[in-house]
Amino acid sequence: MVYAAVAPLYLNACLFSNNTSQNQGGGGGGAQDPNHLEKKPTVTAYKWRLLIAYDGTHFSGWQYQQSPPTIQCLVENALTRTTKLERKDLHLVGASRTDTGVHAWGQVAHFVTPFNYESLESIHAALNGLLPSDIRVREISPVVPEFHARFSAKSKIYHYKIYNDTVIDPFQRHYAYHSLYKLNAVVMREAAKHFIGKHDFSAFVNASHNDRVPDPVKTIFRFDVIEMGALLQLEVEGSGFLYRQVRNMVALLLQIGKEAIPPDIVPKILATRDRKELAKYALSAPPHGLCLVAVKYNKEHLGLPTGCPATSFGRLRSVNYCKLPFY
């Protein structure tokens, strides 16, 4: 591990700050005695962005949990071994808390270290060497202190794949939902348009103990239904998504594609803001067809700070001489 002796990217006041002691008197608004200020040292911290892909088949989603294992748990274990830091010091945060069995090509996370790196290629190789083969770090880059993997996100893109044929391609079985019913992509497209715009999606959210009081109002920028032979790919981009919102929207579109219900049922269910109303027509679509494809950010949040190493996209190994000349 090589550290660079360059200027710090920023002073992370969120981690360590100069705290003043609270006034213990019964009155309010009194000035505090400057001789009793409790000062703590400000510690330099550097923030790093990870772009992660994973096959979620064998994992219990992203959110940290040791058993059964989650993506965040395994990434943190690899980071603690590589950086020699404790989990609490890394402050790893993911952009999306994908559910059990859901995949990702473009999950984004950030973590912090008290030191800088001269090059990110070595830590990049070390992380992928420690992670199981169904989790890969695609990129590592330094980011400005204002960047936050979750709260800085401008939009997220999810794809849901449906294999619409009598016999499923076995190579698609872990990544596409198999529908034996012939689906009408035209009416599914018509119905998907009703999701576009700013709506209260209370009718499309499942209760989750992880969310405190989630804001049910989200904006859907696009919702496309693309035919690729036997595959139907549903692509949705939004400002954010509630727990199982995408899978619930897909489940309703599946029923509409079977022509069991009309496309105009979508605005009617949205208007009720009642999850029980959706349950009359559809249950959540299975998780394995869903993939987090990308998380978008404003350009200013992705700018590289001064005095930082270049983004690592991984490196190819080369052979300088032939080890097996007669092979």
Side-chain angles (χ1 to χ4, degrees), residues 141-191:
S141 65
V143 283
V144 295
E146 295 78 18
F147 176 84
H148 191 283
R150 185 180 306 160
F151 300 129
S152 298
K154 188 170 68 171
S155 70
K156 298 174 185 176
I157 301 174
Y158 282 90
H159 289 181
Y160 194 96
K161 290 185 178 181
I162 303 165
Y163 200 87
N164 194 200
D165 205 347
T166 53
V167 179
I168 190 171
D169 177 348
F171 295 103
Q172 296 285 346
R173 72 191 189 281
H174 293 309
Y175 314 105
Y177 168 67
H178 184 203
S179 175
L180 288 166
Y181 296 93
K182 182 61 180 175
L183 300 173
N184 185 336
V186 175
V187 295
M188 290 175 73
R189 252 182 235 110
E190 183 183 344

Side-chain angles (χ1 to χ4, degrees), residues 6 8 14 32 63 74 91 107 114 159 169 174 201 206 238 263 286 293:
V6 297
C14 294
Q32 301 214 358
Q63 194 74 358
L74 293 171
H91 297 275
Q107 172 72 285
H159 289 181
D169 177 348
H174 293 309
F201 283 94
N206 283 29
V293 174

Side-chain angles (χ1 to χ4, degrees), residues 5-291:
V6 297
L9 302 185
Y10 67 99
L11 295 178
N12 194 335
C14 294
L15 299 182
F16 299 93
S17 60
N18 293 334
N19 296 329
T20 58
S21 59
Q22 296 296 320
N23 189 339
Q24 299 299 321
Q32 301 214 358
D33 184 352
N35 296 322
H36 290 84
L37 293 180
E38 180 186 354
K39 294 185 178 181
K40 295 182 180 180
T42 301
V43 177
T44 303
Y46 300 84
K47 188 174 281 189
W48 312 96
R49 178 185 67 93
L50 299 174
L51 182 61
I52 309 170
Y54 48 85
D55 178 339
T57 304
H58 303 296
F59 302 106
S60 296
W62 166 267
Q63 194 74 358
Y64 185 85
Q65 174 181 297
Q66 290 186 344
S67 181
T70 63
I71 309 297
Q72 183 179 2
C73 178
L74 293 171
V75 171
E76 284 189 358
N77 288 346
L79 280 170
T80 55
R81 291 183 63 182
T82 305
T83 63
K84 309 303 181 186
L85 297 173
E86 297 293 328
R87 175 178 179 251
K88 62 181 177 61
D89 300 321
L90 290 167
H91 297 275
L92 181 70
V93 176
S96 180
R97 293 175 293 185
T98 53
D99 203 6
T100 300
V102 174
H103 315 292
W105 172 248
Q107 172 72 285
V108 176
H110 77 256
F111 68 98
V112 298
T113 62
F115 46 75
N116 197 2
Y117 286 98
E118 187 176 85
S119 170
L120 293 173
E121 289 187 345
S122 294
I123 184 176
H124 194 169
L127 287 174
N128 281 335
L130 291 167
L131 288 166
S133 58
D134 37 9
I135 306 175
R136 294 291 89 176
V137 174
R138 294 172 53 205
E139 296 177 19
I140 304 181
S141 65
V143 283
V144 295
E146 295 78 18
F147 176 84
H148 191 283
R150 185 180 306 160
F151 300 129
S152 298
K154 188 170 68 171
S155 70
K156 298 174 185 176
I157 301 174
Y158 282 90
H159 289 181
Y160 194 96
K161 290 185 178 181
I162 303 165
Y163 200 87
N164 194 200
D165 205 347
T166 53
V167 179
I168 190 171
D169 177 348
F171 295 103
Q172 296 285 346
R173 72 191 189 281
H174 293 309
Y175 314 105
Y177 168 67
H178 184 203
S179 175
L180 288 166
Y181 296 93
K182 182 61 180 175
L183 300 173
N184 185 336
V186 175
V187 295
M188 290 175 73
R189 252 182 235 110
E190 183 183 344
K193 290 178 182 177
H194 293 297
F195 286 117
I196 298 174
K198 190 174 184 179
H199 304 286
D200 184 322
F201 283 94
S202 296
F204 289 85
V205 60
N206 283 29
S208 169
H209 63 275
N210 290 326
D211 290 319
R212 296 172 184 171
V213 184
D215 181 5
V217 178
K218 306 294 178 185
T219 301
I220 303 297
F221 302 116
R222 66 181 180 93
F223 203 145
D224 302 321
V225 179
I226 301 170
E227 295 179 84
M228 300 182 293
L231 271 178
L232 272 182
Q233 184 161 283
L234 279 57
E235 302 183 1
V236 56
E237 179 177 359
S239 60
F241 297 95
L242 300 165
Y243 183 55
R244 294 196 180 176
Q245 180 186 334
V246 177
R247 288 166 57 190
N248 287 331
M249 293 190 296
V250 169
L252 187 63
L253 291 180
L254 280 167
Q255 295 301 317
I256 292 170
K258 295 174 186 177
E259 300 182 342
I261 48 179
D264 62 4
I265 196 71
V266 174
K268 293 176 182 177
I269 294 176
L270 279 169
T272 67
R273 302 179 184 180
D274 186 356
R275 178 67 179 83
K276 293 178 182 178
E277 189 64 24
L278 175 64
K280 295 176 182 178
Y281 304 97
L283 301 175
S284 291
H288 66 281
L290 186 61
C291 180

